[in-house]
Amino acid sequence: MLDDILDYTENIRERPVWQPIPRAVRAAFREPLPQKPVHLASIHNTFMRDILPYSVGNAHPGFMGWVHGGGTPVGMLAEMLAAGLNGNLGGRDQIPIEVERQVLRWVRELFGFPDTASGLFVTGTSMANLIAVLVARTKAIGAGVRRQGVAATGKRLTAYTSAGAHCSIAQAMDLAGLGSDVLRIIPVNGRYQIDIHALEEAIGRDRSAGLTPFLIAATAGTVDVGAVDHLAAVAEIARRETVWFHVDGAYGALAMLAPDLAPRLAGIERADSIAFDFNKWGQVPYDAGFVLVRDGTLHQSTFASPAAYLRRETRGMAAGSPWPCDFGPDLSRGFRALKTWFTIKAYGAEKLGAMISKTCALARYLKHCIEAEAALELLAPVALNIVCFRYRSGNADEVNRNIVADLQESGIAAPSTTTVNGCLAIRAAIVNHRTNRSDIDALLQAVLVLGSVHGNRQSKAQP
Ligand SMILES: *Cc1c(COP(=O)(O)O)cnc(C)c1O
């Protein structure tokens, strides 16, 4: 099994990025509950034949759809060790939790947070955003809300984010019982950053109406075009208005590792909380989300529970309080910290930063190629590693939608689509450390060929 999966990562370029799933393969996963053991070698054969070839392909250098990390063999092997230990990191006195705290210390150092800041591994940034919204809710209306519910406070909390924010911010408002309607969606400027003036106006309007603004969720690296909000300006408004300043840095926050990119995130060190994923730009295998909270005490008071079976002692296995389960809703928790700790140690912050920087250089290369090619059109500024463009044509949305579907089915490259200013865009998010110029060239070449096919078809169809 080890040989096969190492061969897979080593020779991944020889494979298609993704391929359509044959009906028979899908049908193989409709069998009844197995009553008798199946030989391990046979299960592994099924894995090689029916599972491995039909994943989404984000380990492949041609994968540019959505913001997915590529993973590494180091992370994979660390995950195997973690599974062998079968650690449960909800609590108790054990070194695996010290490993998680070590990663927390590195994260504090990276973002310039104080020693009193708390942090926690979670599934992903969606969960990290939810935790941040819940801690901000505690700050605004107190921990009593945990027993009494939101309605009892009589306050109408309002939150603010940009039109480019990820949908998990609205979902967090929903799950926190505050409602997504009170999340004010602020328009973006020409660089797809939150419009600072409109933000101030919206807060002022809500205050005048007797509502209680409590949270601004800025984004470092929007999911559609990779824009970074003006974090220092948002921090200043949050301070003046005494509202919580959260940064959704799902993939972009780790740009702090790259000296050429870190200045663009200036102001992130003033955040009350940051949500990000090690499994995106950090290349740690899925899943490895993280939430960092400046006020560790407030964070703990949002989640800690007095359950008797979670009783703490000063010695024995029940020592070592506070435990990770005091900082989030999960009690059973895997050892996500190990693959992250291995990744950071095996490559070092400098090399990880250089890799992140390289993906942005590739995005600039792609941008220049698009600008030099009359048949193509850039649709959004390239702030980090995401490039939105299209093939120029009549009925461009239809043509570009077909180009992307053909590309994905061809296995050559896998961009995704998004909508920019009402136009359907081919979106290339360059996140994978394995991607290089030849992959960008292959993408461009294929877009031009497919574009001329679909574009011609369009012009023939016109009367
Ligand atoms: C990916 C992403 C998310 C969601 O993170 P998950 O780890 O998929 O839950 C949230 N915000 C932004 C900006 C993202 O890029």
Side-chain angles (χ1 to χ4, degrees):
M1 287 161 82
L2 265 177
D3 278 344
D4 280 342
I5 201 68
L6 287 167
D7 285 350
Y8 168 77
T9 48
E10 188 173 350
N11 305 318
I12 194 156
R13 272 181 186 285
E14 291 157 22
R15 297 179 161 274
V17 183
W18 177 85
Q19 48 188 322
I21 302 161
R23 200 185 287 256
V25 170
R26 211 182 286 278
F29 297 91
R30 303 285 188 274
E31 63 175 335
L33 179 68
Q35 300 294 340
K36 296 274 188 267
V38 178
H39 198 276
L40 182 58
S42 152
I43 306 170
H44 178 57
N45 283 340
T46 307
F47 171 81
M48 293 305 292
R49 190 190 62 224
D50 293 344
I51 299 177
L52 178 139
Y54 304 107
S55 75
V56 82
N58 49 301
H60 195 289
F63 183 91
M64 300 170 200
W66 307 278
V67 179
H68 288 11
T72 68
V74 166
M76 178 191 87
L77 292 169
E79 187 75 318
M80 184 186 75
L81 301 183
L85 278 183
N86 196 22
N88 179 354
L89 275 73
R92 287 161 279 277
D93 199 21
Q94 49 172 329
I95 283 295
I97 290 178
E98 286 302 333
V99 175
E100 182 157 346
R101 290 181 183 134
Q102 167 71 89
V103 176
L104 165 61
R105 287 187 193 96
W106 290 338
V107 168
R108 281 185 196 136
E109 184 183 331
L110 184 66
F111 294 110
F113 269 47
D115 291 349
T116 45
S118 50
L120 192 72
F121 272 99
V122 290
T123 40
T125 293
S126 300
M127 178 56 92
N129 282 337
L130 171 61
I131 288 176
V133 167
L134 289 169
V135 184
R137 192 186 70 173
T138 304
K139 171 85 176 181
I141 54 179
V145 65
R146 296 176 64 191
R147 294 185 312 279
Q148 296 148 5
V150 175
T153 69
K155 279 190 182 163
R156 285 276 284 163
L157 301 184
T158 53
Y160 308 82
T161 199
S162 90
H166 191 265
C167 56
S168 57
I169 302 287
Q171 183 191 247
M173 292 291 291
D174 155 9
L175 296 177
L178 302 168
S180 54
D181 281 356
V182 294
L183 177 65
R184 311 300 191 208
I185 306 298
I186 310 299
V188 291
N189 63 23
R191 292 161 70 196
Y192 294 84
Q193 299 166 310
I194 192 166
D195 181 324
I196 295 296
H197 188 62
L199 171 63
E200 283 180 305
E201 275 185 356
I203 294 174
R205 242 190 335 268
D206 283 337
R207 274 210 205 287
S208 311
L211 307 178
T212 308
F214 86 111
L215 163 80
I216 306 173
T219 307
T222 61
V223 71
D224 49 353
V225 302
V228 181
D229 284 336
H230 191 328
L231 301 179
V234 175
E236 196 44 41
I237 295 174
R239 187 195 58 78
R240 205 182 320 133
E241 298 283 347
T242 51
V243 300
W244 190 271
F245 171 33
H246 174 66
V247 176
D248 175 352
Y251 84 86
L254 286 184
M256 289 300 283
L257 289 165
D260 60 324
L261 302 173
R264 304 216 208 140
L265 273 61
I268 199 169
E269 73 288 347
R270 295 172 63 185
D272 290 301
S273 53
I274 304 175
F276 68 98
D277 286 331
F278 281 107
N279 51 248
K280 288 181 171 175
W281 245 349
Q283 314 295 336
V284 171
Y286 280 77
D287 47 31
F290 202 89
V291 61
L292 179 68
V293 179
R294 177 177 302 279
D295 185 339
T297 309
L298 200 64
H299 186 182
Q300 190 175 350
S301 69
T302 303
F303 292 98
S305 138
Y309 51 86
L310 296 176
R311 195 187 148 87
R312 311 304 152 84
E313 305 292 349
T314 51
R315 60 192 203 87
M317 289 167 72
S321 189
W323 291 346
C325 66
D326 301 327
F327 296 91
D330 294 319
L331 182 53
S332 287
R333 305 174 65 248
F335 197 179
R336 295 184 182 101
L338 192 69
K339 58 193 173 184
T340 309
W341 180 82
F342 258 85
T343 301
I344 295 172
K345 282 183 76 80
Y347 299 104
E350 276 179 26
K351 201 164 177 179
L352 290 171
M355 171 272 298
I356 285 169
S357 192
K358 187 191 93 174
T359 62
C360 294
L362 285 172
R364 289 194 297 275
Y365 170 68
L366 174 56
K367 168 182 181 257
H368 290 140
C369 295
I370 291 163
E371 286 169 341
E373 174 55 65
L376 302 178
E377 178 184 7
L378 193 70
L379 289 181
V382 178
L384 295 171
N385 60 332
I386 298 181
V387 184
C388 292
F389 67 106
R390 67 175 174 179
Y391 187 85
R392 289 183 204 267
S393 166
N395 207 354
D397 284 5
E398 183 65 16
V399 166
N400 284 280
R401 187 178 291 116
N402 282 323
I403 292 175
V404 169
D406 280 359
L407 267 173
Q408 291 175 354
E409 288 177 359
S410 76
I412 298 169
S416 52
T417 60
T418 189
T419 304
V420 178
N421 281 334
C423 301
L424 185 118
I426 303 176
R427 171 174 166 282
I430 304 157
V431 186
N432 192 327
H433 61 97
R434 298 183 180 97
T435 305
N436 61 33
R437 276 196 181 207
S438 69
D439 302 297
I440 304 293
D441 292 340
L443 167 74
L444 279 166
Q445 194 56 38
V447 167
L448 290 171
V449 170
L450 291 168
S452 75
V453 171
H454 288 292
N456 276 334
R457 209 169 278 159
Q458 275 303 323
S459 52
K460 287 208 188 97
Q462 276 158 15

